């Protein structure tokens, strides 16, 4: 009897949550910007559970009879924002014992309860690439996260088992961040040579694994750092490369071509100087916009026109926050700065969504509003590139994760006394 009572109580508690998560929802009256196509005036968005069922104009979309309807007339709906370079979650990567840490995983240090995630949701961000810091040539493995409510990091990942599946990319860097006293390189040339030596070692390890052909007696001694680099060499794990000056950017491209790894360039402050070379290499660029003076000397030539120049050259461009370098609550502003400097509106909106998703191999899940994709979307008060627009709601997989009308949520959007104390964890000084 006690077991039955206990089961009943559990059902009473969990059934509303389960039904809410699996229910069909319909959002009507808003202007929908699906990214995958032209904006839809007076659009209809239908979700069921964690997926999108339909997107279209009023009268063209069948609305299920059992659906819960939300009238969002006068609002704008667009996909949840995808941040391709972030440091939220209060995690860390490698230490100062070595300049290269391919074995280090950011997932082993992220706090799922960090209030930095709530701050990102207040900016409409639903997917992030969380990085270890850039104070190393190779600071560790990144994590692609969905901003679900979670008690452990596994509940935020895009994979079910991070022990046997690739949960993110690999963070690398060059330039002044990774230069230092031994065991760190003292020059840019030494930086590149240390990276090349490690990849040559990884090539040798890969060859031995292939020769063993599954025979445990022939397998080399397990090396978790080499395992990660073999995944890079196989094209399974993407390299996310922090780089600023034009010749450092070309060094990153040169390394990727020598060892055949997939590359995403990050920051690339001087990309506008070599946009054609980046386009010829067919490498995507995740860029940042800075709206205040200061910072490192190698970013002195950063330009608002970076996105526009790269777009014109035919480069795949995304924006990122590098949080907390720029504020996740204001991520939409990055696209607005790009348009102001000559970028097309279409490219700027893609740079906040689908292009970043492509840089993490997540384009089949997120980045556009299409049937079959995850029900991640943002309800805005107005045009996404207007300084007057507010993020009113952020939905992740069909569940509302941020609501501006809720005072508890609103504080993460507007700030207030002690709201963000300790949330500006700096991963760039981890030297």
């Amino acid at each position: 009897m006690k077991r039955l009572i206990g089961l009943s109580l559990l059902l009473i508690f969990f059934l509303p949550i389960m039904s809410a998560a699996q229910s069909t929802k319909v959002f009507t009256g808003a202007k929908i910007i699906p990214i995958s196509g032209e904006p839809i005036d007076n659009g209809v968005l239908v979700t069921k559970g964690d997926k999108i069922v339909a997107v279209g104009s009023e009268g063209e979309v069948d609305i299920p009879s059992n659906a819960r309807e939300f009238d969002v007339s006068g609002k704008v709906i667009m996909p949840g924002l995808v941040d391709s370079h972030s440091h939220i979650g209060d995690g860390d990567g490698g230490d100062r014992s070595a300049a290269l840490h391919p074995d280090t995983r950011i997932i082993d240090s992220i706090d799922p309860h960090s209030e930095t995630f709530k701050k990102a949701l207040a900016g409409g961000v639903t997917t992030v690439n969380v990085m270890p810091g850039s104070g190393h040539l190779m600071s560790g493995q990144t994590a692609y996260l969905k901003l679900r409510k979670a008690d452990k990091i596994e509940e935020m990942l895009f994979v079910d088992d991070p022990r046997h599946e690739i949960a993110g990319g690999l963070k690398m860097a060059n330039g002044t961040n990774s230069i230092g006293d031994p065991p760190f390189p003292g020059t840019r040339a030494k930086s590149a040579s240390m990276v090349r030596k490690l990849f040559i070692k990884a090539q040798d390890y890969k060859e031995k694994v292939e020769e063993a052909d599954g025979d445990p007696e022939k397998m080399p001694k397990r090396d978790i750092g080499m395992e990660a680099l073999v995944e890079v060499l196989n094209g399974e794990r993407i390299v996310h490369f922090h780089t600023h000056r034009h010749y450092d950017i070309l060094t990153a491209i040169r390394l990727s071509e020598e060892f055949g790894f997939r590359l995403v360039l990050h920051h690339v402050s001087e990309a506008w100087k070599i946009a054609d070379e980046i386009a010829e290499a067919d490498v995507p660029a995740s860029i940042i916009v800075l709206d205040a003076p200061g910072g490192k000397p190698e970013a002195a030539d950063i330009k608002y026109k970076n996105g526009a120049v790269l777009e014109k050259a035919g480069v795949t461009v995304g924006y990122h926050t590098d949080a907390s370098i720029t504020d996740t609550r204001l991520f939409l502003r990055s696209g607005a700065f790009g348009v102001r400097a000559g970028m097309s509106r279409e490219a700027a909106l893609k740079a906040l969504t689908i292009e970043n998703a492509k840089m993490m191999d997540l384009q089949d899940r997120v980045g556009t509003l299409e049937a079959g994709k995850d029900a991640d979307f943002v309800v805005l008060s107005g045009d996404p590139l207007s300084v007057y627009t507010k993020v009113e709601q952020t939905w992740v997989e069909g569940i509302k994760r941020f609501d501006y009308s809720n005072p508890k949520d609103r504080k993460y959007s507007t700030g207030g006394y002690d709201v963000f104390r300790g949330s500006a964890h700096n991963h760039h000084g981890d030297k």
Side-chain angles (χ1 to χ4, degrees):
M1 178 61 73
K2 289 182 178 179
R3 290 178 64 185
L4 287 174
I5 293 173
L7 180 59
S8 298
L9 290 173
L10 284 172
L11 288 173
I12 290 170
F13 179 76
F14 283 112
L15 276 176
I17 298 173
M18 293 168 63
S19 61
Q22 296 302 318
S23 66
T24 299
K25 304 179 183 72
V26 177
F27 299 80
T28 60
K31 178 178 181 178
I32 296 179
I33 304 175
I35 301 297
S36 55
E38 293 297 317
I40 305 166
D41 291 322
N42 200 17
V44 177
L45 171 67
V46 183
T47 70
K48 183 175 182 180
D50 60 356
K51 297 294 181 182
I52 296 171
V53 174
V55 183
S57 300
E58 183 183 22
E60 297 179 357
V61 175
D62 292 329
I63 298 177
S65 59
N66 63 339
R68 182 183 176 191
E69 293 195 36
F70 296 81
D71 183 355
V72 283
S73 298
K75 309 300 181 182
V76 173
I77 293 179
M78 68 177 293
L81 306 186
V82 181
D83 189 351
S84 49
H85 185 139
S86 180
H87 297 284
I88 58 177
D90 303 323
D92 269 315
D95 62 13
R96 301 306 290 177
S97 63
L100 297 136
H101 292 272
D103 52 324
T104 302
R105 306 182 303 182
I106 193 70
I107 64 170
D108 295 316
S109 63
I110 292 174
D111 175 9
H113 296 288
S114 169
E115 294 193 334
T116 58
F117 292 123
K118 296 178 182 178
K119 189 176 181 182
L121 288 163
V125 177
T126 58
T127 296
V128 291
N129 180 18
V130 176
M131 305 268 210
S134 54
H136 304 74
L137 294 174
M138 197 176 286
S139 54
Q141 301 167 31
T142 81
Y144 306 152
L145 303 183
K146 180 69 74 72
L147 301 194
R148 310 178 185 101
K149 182 177 176 60
D151 291 318
K152 55 184 181 179
I153 191 62
E154 285 82 357
E155 295 169 343
M156 301 182 77
L157 299 174
F158 278 82
V159 298
D160 295 324
D161 183 1
R163 294 175 301 171
H164 302 104
E165 298 176 275
I166 297 172
L170 182 72
K171 175 71 178 293
M172 292 181 61
N174 63 11
T176 58
N177 274 37
S178 50
I179 291 175
D181 296 328
F184 284 72
T187 66
R188 282 174 160 80
K190 182 64 174 179
S191 298
S193 70
M194 289 174 69
V195 170
R196 293 179 70 222
K197 286 179 182 178
L198 190 65
F199 271 112
I200 289 170
K201 181 181 176 182
Q203 287 176 326
D204 182 59
Y205 185 87
K206 179 176 182 287
E207 184 178 330
K208 290 177 180 177
V209 170
E210 291 171 347
E211 289 176 350
D213 195 26
D215 186 342
E217 293 185 1
K218 296 180 180 179
M219 284 285 286
K221 183 178 179 182
R222 188 177 183 193
D223 185 321
I224 57 176
M226 289 297 103
E227 288 176 355
L229 290 180
V230 168
E231 291 168 347
V232 168
L233 293 172
N234 288 339
E236 300 164 332
R237 185 183 293 276
I238 299 169
V239 171
H240 297 276
F241 211 119
H242 161 116
T243 184
H244 284 277
R245 289 182 176 167
H246 64 279
Y247 47 89
D248 287 334
I249 297 168
L250 293 176
T251 294
I253 292 173
R254 195 178 302 116
L255 289 169
S256 73
E257 292 176 343
E258 178 177 0
F259 295 101
F261 59 76
R262 298 172 64 196
L263 174 67
V264 176
L265 296 167
H266 285 260
H267 304 321
V268 285
S269 297
E270 296 185 7
W272 57 274
K273 296 181 179 180
I274 52 168
D276 290 336
E277 287 85 347
I278 296 173
E280 184 179 354
D282 195 24
V283 176
S286 172
I287 67 175
I288 190 170
V289 173
L290 300 177
D291 61 353
K296 62 188 67 179
E298 63 183 359
D301 277 350
I302 193 170
K303 305 287 185 183
Y304 284 131
K305 70 177 182 178
N306 221 1
V309 174
L310 288 169
E311 179 194 359
K312 184 177 180 180
V315 177
T316 296
V317 185
Y319 280 105
H320 66 255
T321 65
D322 195 14
S324 59
I325 297 301
T326 63
D327 199 319
T328 51
R329 297 173 300 171
L330 305 176
F331 189 27
L332 284 167
R333 187 172 63 171
S334 296
F337 278 129
V339 171
R340 177 183 175 183
M343 199 174 189
S344 72
R345 179 182 176 87
E346 179 184 15
L349 291 174
K350 285 184 175 181
L352 298 166
T353 53
I354 188 61
E355 304 297 32
N356 284 333
K358 292 175 183 176
M359 295 177 196
M360 296 181 267
D361 282 341
L362 298 176
Q363 64 271 23
D364 293 335
R365 294 277 304 274
V366 301
T368 61
L369 298 178
E370 297 179 81
K373 284 198 170 184
D374 293 356
D376 299 350
F377 58 94
V378 186
V379 179
L380 305 171
S381 64
D383 187 291
L385 300 183
S386 169
V387 69
Y388 299 106
T389 293
K390 290 184 174 63
V391 173
E392 294 193 352
Q393 298 175 18
T394 302
W395 293 72
V396 178
E397 296 179 344
I399 297 174
K400 190 191 297 183
R401 293 283 288 124
F402 171 80
D403 187 343
Y404 188 84
S405 67
N406 182 338
K408 290 183 179 179
D409 286 354
R410 190 187 307 128
K411 68 179 183 180
Y412 291 101
S413 175
T414 60
Y417 177 72
D418 225 25
V419 173
F420 299 125
R421 182 178 294 275
S423 68
H425 187 64
N426 188 349
H427 297 258
H428 298 75
D430 51 357
K431 294 183 179 181

